[in-house]
Amino acid sequence: MSDCIFCKIAKHEIPCDAVYEDDDFLAFRDINPVAPTHVLLIPKQHVSSLLDEGAKAEMLGRMTALVPKLAEQLGIAADGFRLVVNTGKEGGQTVHHLHFHILGGRSLQWPPG
Ligand code: DGP
């Protein structure tokens, strides 16, 4: 997708603070962090959201398997972290390229109690 900001980041046309990269995935720090550690993990291939038919189980499995490895690398595995996948309008998705938010470093205020 030529106008997709995360496609441009995946192709290194827009800079990012990358923490991990392989042939299929890229992880980089969120430009607007809401936790001390806030990393986005994306597939390099354009998939708009979890609702996209391109969000295949095999790809999602490999993407999810990267999360604990990244958490270890980022130093947030021991104390735990949150994985968020905003999906669609009501889900608060603003960038329409599938991404996992990996959030750690402090106790967030959701869910309450
Ligand atoms: P969401 O609301 O789930 O679609 O989250 C999109 C996130 O993407 C949001 O936390 C801010 C982040 N973001 C948007 N544009 C950029 C960018 O150009 N660079 C980086 N590093 N993050 C971005």
Side-chain angles (χ1 to χ4, degrees):
M1 284 267 291
S2 57
D3 60 344
C4 171
I5 191 150
F6 284 1
C7 283
K8 290 180 180 169
I9 288 174
K11 288 187 223 157
H12 300 282
E13 293 171 5
I14 291 177
C16 71
D17 185 356
V19 298
Y20 174 83
E21 180 168 15
D22 64 24
D23 287 347
D24 298 320
F25 301 102
L26 177 68
F28 53 97
R29 295 190 190 275
D30 195 291
I31 204 167
N32 185 25
V34 298
T37 299
H38 186 170
V39 162
L40 302 173
L41 173 61
I42 66 167
K44 289 184 173 178
Q45 172 196 352
H46 184 81
V47 174
S48 60
S49 80
L50 280 180
L51 293 168
D52 189 323
E53 62 182 20
K56 305 283 189 207
E58 189 270 341
M59 184 269 281
L60 292 171
R62 288 190 292 123
M63 191 169 166
T64 304
L66 283 174
V67 172
K69 296 185 173 109
L70 283 169
E72 289 284 357
Q73 176 190 324
L74 294 164
I76 57 173
D79 288 339
F81 58 89
R82 188 180 304 272
L83 184 64
V84 173
V85 191
N86 294 331
T87 304
K89 185 161 59 89
E90 294 292 329
Q93 184 178 7
T94 60
V95 176
H96 297 282
H97 181 128
L98 176 66
H99 51 282
F100 288 1
H101 294 259
I102 303 169
L103 301 155
R106 71 173 156 81
S107 179
L108 305 175
Q109 295 306 303
W110 183 89

